[in-house]
Amino acid sequence: MKTNTKYIFVTGGVISGVGKGIMAASIGAILKAKGLKVSMQKCDPYFNVDAGLLNPREHGECFVTQDGAETDLDLGHYERFLDEEMTGNSIWTSGKLYKHLIDDERAGKFGGKTVQLVPHVTGLVQQTFLDNAAHFKSDVHIVEIGGTVGDMEGQHFIEAIREFGTRVGRENCLYVHVCYVPWLSTSQEFKTKPAQNSLRDLREFGIIPDMVVARMDVDKLVKAPHVASKLATFCAVSEDAVVLMPDAKSVYEVPLNAVKGGVLAPLERFIDHGDPDMTQWEKLVKSIEANPKEEVKIGLVAKYIDNTDTYLSVTEALKAAAWKVGVKLKTVWIDAEKATEDDFAAVDGIVVPGGFGVRGVEGKILAANYCLEHDKPYLGLCLGLQTAVIAAARRGGVKKANSEEFDASKDANVVYIMEGQKGKESTGGTMRLGNYPAKLVKGTLAEKLYGTTDVVERHRHRYEVNQRFVKEIEKGGLKISGTSPDGKLVEFVEGIDTKFFIATQAHPEFRSRPYRAHPLFEGLIRASKK
Ligand code: GLN
C-alpha cells in the first residue's frame, strides 16, 4: 500500500502519567514548525465509548470537540499545541471500536465471517489512522496509545500499530517510546532497568522503536550521561535516538526542551523538511518566565478541588490571559460547597466554571450574587451562566429561582431543560454538544470583547435560560447580550452597569490557546487587575 502520509506512534512504558501526551503533542508542534501539516489522534484502552459519562474526579476534564464529541483531556493538549481543531474521530476508545464492530456484525456486514481481534479489531484501528490522515490531509499523523505497553487491555492497539508498519512500509512509520527512568536516592543514580523491561515488552510485539524518550528528574540530570548509552546498548536503538527529557516548569517548554534534548536527529532521519521555526514557542516561554510583580488572584468556585484537572482548559485559558496581560496569576480554589463571602472578598476576580448536579451549586449562586452586589469581575462558563441568572432572578424578586436540574417549581424555573432533552439526563452523547453560533447584541461588553457580533463557541449543556423571566433577571442586574441566531437560546448575559460581569452558555476555554488568549479570559484578567 502506497502512502504520502507519514505516521508517528507514541507508546508509553514503566508508568503512566509521565507526559506521553505532552511529548506527542510537542513532536507535533515541532513538525508543524517545520511547515508540515500535522494531525493527531489518541487510542485509549478503556471501554467507555467516550469520556462523557466518566467521573471527572477520576478522569479529569471532559474535552469537547467542535463536532460535539465528549473526549479525553489529551485532545485539549493536542489543540493547544497544534492549534488544529480535533474531531470526534481524533479519539478511539476500545469501547467505541467494539461498539462499531458489534453494530456492523449485527447489521450483517461481515458476510458470515467470524469476527476476531485480529484482523477485525486491529484492522479497524488501522482504518482510523488512514481515515484521519485523509480527513486532515496530513503530511504527518501522530497516534498516541493510552496506558503503558504490556497492559492487557491495550494489546490490540500495539498489535495494530505493528501491523500498520508492514502495511504502509516501515519507512513511513516512526515509533516513539516514552518511558520513565527513576532516580534512586539511596544509591544516587538513575535506574534504566524498568525502561529496558518496557522496551523488551515492546520488542515482544515486534516493535523496535526509532526514538526513546527518557523522562527523568531535572535536578539530577547532570548525573545522567550513561542513561542514553545504556538504553541504546540494551534496547537496540542508536544513542542519538535516545532523548533525555527532564521535568519542565511549564508544559509549553517541552517543545523547546525536546529540540534541546535531541529530538531532531531521529525526526529528520524520518522526514526531512528543514529547520523548525520555534519563535512562537520561544516567545511564549519568555512571557511565562517574565515573572511580573503584579499579581491577580482569580477565585475558581468549583466542586472537584481535589482534582483540578477537571478544569484543565479553564486554568490553561486563565494562564494564557495572564501571560498576555503581563501579570502573575494566582489561582485560588474555592470549594463551592463551603464558599463564603469572605472567600470571594479575598480574590480580585471570580470564575464559575461548568458543572453538573446540585452539589455545590448554592455556593456558585452566592458567588454570582456577591459579584453583582460588589461589582467584582465575574466570568461564568456554562453552569456559571446559569448560576448568574439564578442569582439575578432571585435579586429581581423570584425568591425561589432555580434550575430544573436542581430544584425548581414551575413558577421559578429560570433555567429549564431544553426541548428534546427530557428523560436523557443520564445518557451519553445526548446534550447540546459542539460548535454553535451566537449573535451578540451591538454595544454590549460581549461585542466589545470579541470585536464582532458573530461568534462560534463549543457547548455541552442540557439546560437553558427561561426567557419568560427576562424582566426579573434584568431587575436583578443582568441583561441578555447574545443569543442563538434564531433568538431562542440565551448564549451570553452580562451585568447592567457593572465593570466586568459576563457569562456564556458555552465553553470558551476550549478555544483558548497558550499564545492566543481568549478575549473573555483576557477581559477578566484586565478587569481584575487593580
Ligand atoms: N448542568 C448544566 C446543563 O446541563 C451546565 C452544563 C455545563 O456546565 N457544562 O445545562
Side-chain angles (χ1 to χ4, degrees), residues 328-447:
K328 184 191 273 172
L329 172 72
K330 185 163 170 37
T331 307
V332 181
W333 293 94
I334 300 175
D335 185 342
E337 278 187 288
K338 300 185 190 133
T340 65
E341 298 212 328
D342 292 345
D343 295 321
F344 310 139
V347 293
D348 305 313
I350 283 184
V351 175
V352 175
F356 295 83
V358 70
R359 186 167 70 82
V361 108
E362 282 304 323
K364 297 177 185 181
I365 298 168
L366 192 68
N369 186 63
Y370 180 92
C371 291
L372 282 171
E373 187 123 358
H374 295 84
D375 199 8
K376 177 152 288 207
Y378 178 96
L379 175 60
L381 309 169
C382 204
L383 179 62
L385 173 136
Q386 299 172 358
T387 53
V389 164
I390 296 168
R394 287 182 187 175
R395 292 164 67 82
V398 192
K399 287 283 167 269
K400 292 201 163 136
N402 216 325
S403 163
E404 281 184 357
E405 185 180 0
F406 315 125
D407 166 40
S409 55
K410 280 286 170 231
D411 56 352
N413 58 346
V414 299
V415 175
Y416 68 162
I417 195 149
M418 266 184 284
E419 225 178 273
Q421 289 286 348
K422 242 200 163 82
K424 296 184 181 162
E425 287 86 337
S426 53
T427 60
T430 52
M431 280 186 254
R432 182 171 179 249
L433 290 165
N435 275 5
Y436 282 95
K439 264 246 169 298
L440 306 181
V441 179
K442 279 219 170 76
T444 56
L445 173 65
E447 190 222 17

Side-chain angles (χ1 to χ4, degrees), residues 162-230:
R162 191 222 23 107
E163 273 177 33
F164 195 75
T166 327
R167 198 168 150 193
V168 300
R170 183 62 178 81
E171 69 284 5
N172 294 312
C173 296
L174 183 91
Y175 296 91
V176 179
H177 190 60
V178 181
C179 47
Y180 181 58
V181 177
W183 171 257
L184 209 66
S185 57
T186 42
S187 58
Q188 291 286 300
E189 60 180 337
F190 282 109
K191 285 293 188 190
T192 61
K193 182 61 68 106
Q196 290 179 41
N197 288 345
S198 82
L199 283 150
R200 187 197 54 213
D201 290 345
L202 199 57
R203 278 201 305 279
E204 272 174 17
F205 281 96
I207 299 173
I208 296 178
D210 305 286
M211 186 196 301
V212 174
V213 177
R215 286 281 295 107
M216 43 216 309
D217 187 333
V218 66
D219 299 332
K220 313 291 185 314
L221 208 62
V222 281
K223 302 196 178 167
H226 67 286
V227 170
S229 65
K230 198 147 183 196

Side-chain angles (χ1 to χ4, degrees), residues 251-285:
V251 293
Y252 302 116
E253 280 177 13
V254 176
L256 296 175
N257 288 358
V259 170
K260 275 187 233 146
V263 95
L264 289 181
L267 271 187
E268 279 163 8
R269 275 200 289 273
F270 177 59
I271 185 164
D272 194 9
H273 207 267
D275 292 332
D277 174 6
M278 301 300 285
T279 328
Q280 181 192 35
W281 296 99
E282 282 155 9
K283 261 173 64 186
L284 175 63
V285 168

Side-chain angles (χ1 to χ4, degrees), residues 30-52:
I30 293 165
L31 293 172
K32 184 166 180 182
K34 281 173 173 275
L36 292 160
K37 172 84 179 143
V38 184
S39 53
M40 291 191 75
Q41 106 175 55
K42 173 124 195 233
C43 290
D44 242 332
Y46 58 81
F47 276 92
N48 304 69
V49 172
D50 61 31

